[in-house]
Amino acid sequence: MVLKEVTDKSTARVFLDVARDIYRGDKNWICPLDNMVEAVFDPGVNVFFAHGEAIRWILYDDHNKAIGRVAAFINRKKAFNFDQPTGGMGFFECINNKDAAYLLFDTCKAWLKDKGMEAMDGPINFGENDNFWGLLVEGFMPPSFGMNYHHPYYKDFFEGYGFRPYFEQVTNHLDLTKPFPERFWKIADWVRQKPGYSFRHFTWKDSEQFIGDFKTIYDDGWQFHENFTPINPDDLRKTLNEMKPIMDEEFIWFAYVDDNPAAFLVMIPDANQIFRYLNGKLNLFGKLKFWYYSKRNVFTRTRITVMGVRPKYQKSGIESAIFWHMEKVMNKRPGYKEVELSWVGDFNPKMRQLHEAVGSHFAKRHITYRYLFNAPGQSQKATVIPMDTRQHTE
């Protein structure tokens, strides 16, 4: 077996094609967009290169056939905030061969160790955790947009090598054809009418205000998450522009208390219901296909990518009131049958409780693993967010 670094357009194309070969014949797999994967490794596009670096490799067999791939990266804003400097690895794909998989892991380890790292998390993204994050270990169904899909045998590779779960990610599905639990609905109806509470959906004409409100809520609400870093408004603008072709303004909601931003919910149609027909290609023909299917009402599922509540408004039921407004929106779109609530880590018990309260059911499980270079097989676990963070801000 021979490893080659991705250094030009030709090897970048092979890096993308490896996944197509690995999943050939798998009816569940949906090829991620080529330009979306490539954007992760483009310093001119990915803002994480401003404070990090990344590298990719392809693994070939003795007949010069590509049989695996992997990437390694360092986010220097977060790498040194753990007990040990920690890098990342991801975009791992491999044939069912342990020696091949371990060679890919060894290569990431050696590169990260040479850069001063003492551990690696994976499989993760060189970017935000709403895309390409975690190893799928349960719920092998067609993935929603941005969610990782893997072969079941990958789990044995990771754990056999010495990776151990750092946190578990659960995705739940909400059946829109069934009513919300009555108790939840009563609370939501009561909260939405409380004096001083107001609710607005996103509009492009006021996008700058909503970006500012998002940052206020996010930075306040996520401050108790392990390894927190404030969000960059430029990142938000970039994400919004990327979402624009499929975005519905009424799928993004903000809650205010006395005109102060208090909570948000971001939901998008599951673009994979169209992208499954494109094989990763969003060229001119792919765009025509996208336009064609978008006019045929193919969307039946949405994905809630992120929710946030500022600590002072937690335990107020404000999230339920946002769902009350969302339910009215979905009633106007009867083609949608399901909402994917993805993903919630085991470090976030409050959000898991919310998923239970709305009557969602388990769909799939991903795991983000950590490998300690000097102690393979030893576990570290992500810090659990306190159930009540209000006391820390008062």
Side-chain angles (χ1 to χ4, degrees):
M1 294 182 288
V2 178
L3 271 165
K4 294 183 181 179
E5 182 183 345
V6 175
T7 56
D8 53 27
K9 290 183 178 180
S10 176
T11 47
R13 190 160 49 248
V14 175
F15 185 86
L16 297 169
D17 288 340
V18 168
R20 294 184 179 91
D21 290 338
I22 296 291
Y23 293 102
R24 194 177 307 279
D26 189 325
K27 295 180 179 180
N28 285 326
W29 184 69
I30 298 174
C31 186
L33 292 179
D34 289 351
N35 59 6
M36 189 175 173
V37 175
E38 282 303 292
V40 173
F41 301 99
D42 185 347
V45 176
N46 188 350
V47 296
F48 277 67
F49 277 98
H51 48 80
E53 55 186 309
I55 187 171
R56 292 184 282 173
W57 298 275
I58 302 163
L59 182 63
Y60 296 85
D61 66 12
D62 293 341
H63 304 288
N64 204 35
K65 176 180 172 56
I67 58 172
R69 74 178 196 190
V70 77
F73 24 79
I74 300 171
N75 176 358
R76 298 194 182 279
K77 275 190 175 180
K78 295 190 174 184
F80 300 97
N81 295 339
F82 299 105
D83 291 341
Q84 68 287 311
T86 302
M89 58 81 63
F91 299 89
F92 170 88
E93 305 291 357
C94 188
I95 62 171
N96 194 357
N97 181 294
K98 185 179 76 170
D99 292 336
Y102 284 15
L103 178 55
L104 291 167
F105 294 154
D106 283 343
T107 303
C108 292
K109 174 184 175 182
W111 184 82
L112 289 167
K113 198 170 184 178
D114 188 58
K115 300 286 183 177
M117 299 296 103
E118 298 175 9
M120 61 180 170
D121 290 347
I124 65 172
N125 184 25
F126 187 47
E128 299 295 343
N129 64 14
D130 56 338
N131 292 317
F132 306 127
W133 204 283
L135 184 78
L136 180 66
V137 297
E138 187 177 356
F140 296 92
M141 62 186 71
S144 61
F145 178 69
M147 294 288 284
N148 271 342
Y149 179 87
H150 298 110
H151 281 306
Y153 62 80
Y154 284 15
K155 182 174 184 285
D156 291 337
F157 289 160
F158 274 81
E159 296 185 357
Y161 186 76
F163 283 92
R164 290 295 177 265
Y166 185 56
F167 58 81
E168 174 191 270
Q169 307 151 234
V170 167
T171 295
N172 294 304
H173 284 177
L174 181 63
D175 186 348
L176 293 177
T177 66
K178 297 180 180 179
F180 278 66
E182 184 177 352
R183 181 177 179 275
F184 177 85
W185 220 230
K186 287 181 178 179
I187 294 172
D189 194 29
W190 173 73
V191 172
R192 74 177 182 85
Q193 300 180 70
K194 289 177 68 174
Y197 280 53
S198 60
F199 302 84
R200 294 174 57 196
H201 68 76
F202 175 88
T203 59
W204 279 104
K205 65 183 180 66
D206 296 318
S207 61
E208 283 302 311
Q209 177 194 328
F210 286 116
I211 287 171
D213 292 345
F214 187 102
K215 178 174 173 57
T216 296
I217 298 165
Y218 181 92
D219 288 353
D220 195 13
W222 266 258
Q223 62 179 297
F224 302 106
H225 285 223
E226 181 182 74
N227 214 357
F228 163 75
T229 54
I231 199 162
N232 186 335
D234 288 337
D235 294 349
L236 293 176
R237 293 185 187 95
K238 175 177 175 291
T239 299
L240 279 173
N241 286 324
E242 290 173 347
M243 290 167 52
K244 196 169 187 176
I246 61 167
M247 204 176 91
D248 187 324
E249 290 182 335
E250 290 188 288
F251 282 8
I252 300 176
W253 279 83
F254 286 78
Y256 299 86
V257 178
D258 297 326
D259 294 327
N260 294 309
F264 63 70
L265 177 151
V266 178
M267 183 170 73
I268 58 173
D270 181 10
N272 268 6
Q273 292 187 301
I274 292 180
F275 291 154
R276 68 179 306 130
Y277 302 107
L278 307 187
N279 196 30
K281 306 293 186 182
L282 200 57
N283 48 23
L284 177 59
F285 186 53
K287 289 177 180 178
L288 289 173
K289 272 188 171 182
F290 184 92
W291 177 85
Y292 170 77
Y293 284 108
S294 67
K295 300 302 181 184
R296 294 177 64 85
N297 298 318
V298 299
F299 290 127
T300 61
R301 180 171 65 189
T302 67
R303 178 190 172 201
I304 294 178
T305 60
V306 62
M307 289 186 67
V309 183
R310 298 177 70 179
K312 67 185 296 185
Y313 304 114
Q314 291 172 5
K315 292 192 173 181
S316 68
I318 201 165
E319 309 99 317
S320 63
I322 293 179
F323 272 94
W324 188 95
H325 287 84
M326 283 300 313
E327 196 259 356
K328 306 307 175 189
V329 170
M330 302 313 293
N331 283 346
K332 296 186 295 183
R333 297 160 174 79
Y336 286 97
K337 307 299 183 186
E338 185 176 62
V339 177
E340 178 168 293
L341 311 173
S342 61
W343 48 262
V344 178
D346 55 9
F347 53 79
N348 193 349
K350 288 181 293 185
M351 195 56 66
R352 287 200 166 185
Q353 282 188 351
L354 177 62
H355 283 201
E356 293 175 8
V358 299
S360 65
H361 62 275
F362 172 82
K364 50 196 167 188
R365 192 185 319 276
H366 290 74
I367 293 177
T368 294
Y369 288 96
R370 175 163 289 179
Y371 177 84
L372 303 174
F373 296 166
N374 295 326
Q378 183 174 311
S379 295
Q380 281 187 358
K381 297 293 289 184
T383 304
V384 175
I385 303 168
M387 286 293 289
D388 187 358
T389 54
R390 291 177 300 175
Q391 60 182 324
H392 297 284
T393 61
E394 295 173 351

